[in-house]
Amino acid sequence: MGRRQKRRQREDSAELVAKRQRSGHSQQTKTQGQQKASQSFTTPDGQVLPAELKKYWRSRHNFFWRFDEGIQIDEEGWYSVTPEAIAEDTAVRIAQLYNDRRKKADYGRICVIDAFCGVGGNTIKLAEWCEHVIAIEIDPQRLEMARNNAEVYGVAERIEFILGDFYQLAPTLKADVVFMSPPWGGPEYTGASVFDLDSMPSHSAQEWVD
């Protein structure tokens, strides 16, 4: 075999290796893209959410009956917000502690603190059934979502939104009722053999009940 033929063989061999490398990289990129796609989903309005939130999104109208009217929820809010029917039942029970209220036209003449308002699920229902609500949230973006959601439901004027830590603010606040639905750490609790007050992500169990 001549020198020219050997050089041509080496060139052909190098080109074949390069093609294989390009093909492998392309396949790897495609696989990574497929994996990324399988780890998220896109809602009809174009919002991209982690795949594990899909079951919550499917129940969006259970969380907020007026979801399609501009409700805002962040990732933590999806698994933290109270379903609307439960939030309303809680609000009715609180309102009836002070008066036997049967209809929304007769607001309970009480002030309620929602110590951890999140995106406003409980806050909204408390405002529908009570005269005044003080909604406290430590995350500024989540607080603005709660304000937006209260406006969707037409109760924002009965809510005082406060950015801050409830435990620091508590000594300065005055109300008839304090409603507490504290952050509980998320869906990972399903992997714990025991989940109690001491498993909460912040503050001690005694602080929750004090």
Side-chain angles (χ1 to χ4, degrees):
M1 182 181 297
R3 184 179 299 175
R4 184 173 299 177
Q5 288 179 313
K6 289 182 179 179
R7 186 174 64 184
R8 182 58 183 270
Q9 280 187 339
R10 287 196 300 269
E11 290 174 351
D12 289 345
S13 178
E15 184 177 353
L16 180 60
V17 170
K19 284 182 178 179
R20 288 176 177 173
Q21 289 176 338
R22 287 195 298 269
S23 176
H25 177 72
S26 176
Q27 184 62 36
Q28 182 180 11
T29 302
K30 183 178 180 181
T31 301
Q32 290 174 343
Q34 290 173 339
Q35 289 175 343
K36 186 175 182 180
S38 67
Q39 293 171 1
S40 63
F41 73 100
T42 303
T43 65
D45 62 356
Q47 186 179 11
V48 179
L49 296 172
E52 60 268 21
L53 296 182
K54 194 168 188 177
K55 64 179 181 180
Y56 300 103
W57 185 83
R58 287 173 174 167
S59 300
R60 61 196 180 281
H61 295 107
N62 291 332
F63 298 130
F64 290 100
W65 297 336
R66 301 176 68 173
F67 181 87
D68 297 330
E69 298 178 40
I71 292 297
Q72 298 176 355
I73 309 180
D74 65 352
E75 183 172 337
E76 182 174 324
W78 278 110
Y79 58 75
S80 299
V81 67
T82 302
E84 187 160 342
I86 297 175
E88 180 151 31
D89 182 69
T90 301
V92 170
R93 290 171 182 270
I94 290 174
Q96 290 178 348
L97 290 173
Y98 286 80
N99 65 322
D100 188 19
R101 182 180 169 208
R102 299 299 181 187
K103 54 185 179 180
K104 291 183 180 178
D106 179 24
Y107 299 107
R109 302 301 179 188
I110 58 175
C111 176
V112 181
I113 294 173
D114 187 350
F116 310 94
C117 80
V119 296
N122 287 296
T123 301
I124 290 169
K125 290 302 165 182
L126 289 169
E128 287 183 350
W129 286 90
C130 303
E131 186 174 36
H132 185 67
V133 179
I134 299 173
I136 301 171
E137 172 57 44
I138 200 169
D139 183 283
Q141 292 182 332
R142 204 165 294 129
L143 186 69
E144 287 307 306
M145 290 180 181
R147 191 193 307 274
N148 169 82
N149 297 341
E151 290 173 352
V152 170
Y153 277 78
V155 295
E157 72 278 2
R158 289 201 294 278
I159 304 172
E160 179 182 355
F161 294 94
I162 298 178
L163 176 64
D165 185 336
F166 168 73
Y167 292 102
Q168 295 179 4
L169 294 170
T172 68
L173 301 172
K174 185 177 181 180
D176 299 297
V177 176
V178 177
F179 172 78
M180 302 177 73
S181 179
W184 49 277
E188 291 79 8
Y189 81 94
T190 56
S193 56
V194 176
F195 189 82
D196 53 20
L197 288 174
D198 290 325
S199 303
M200 293 290 186
S202 62
H203 298 284
S204 68
Q206 190 58 48
E207 283 179 295
W208 293 120
V209 297
D210 286 346

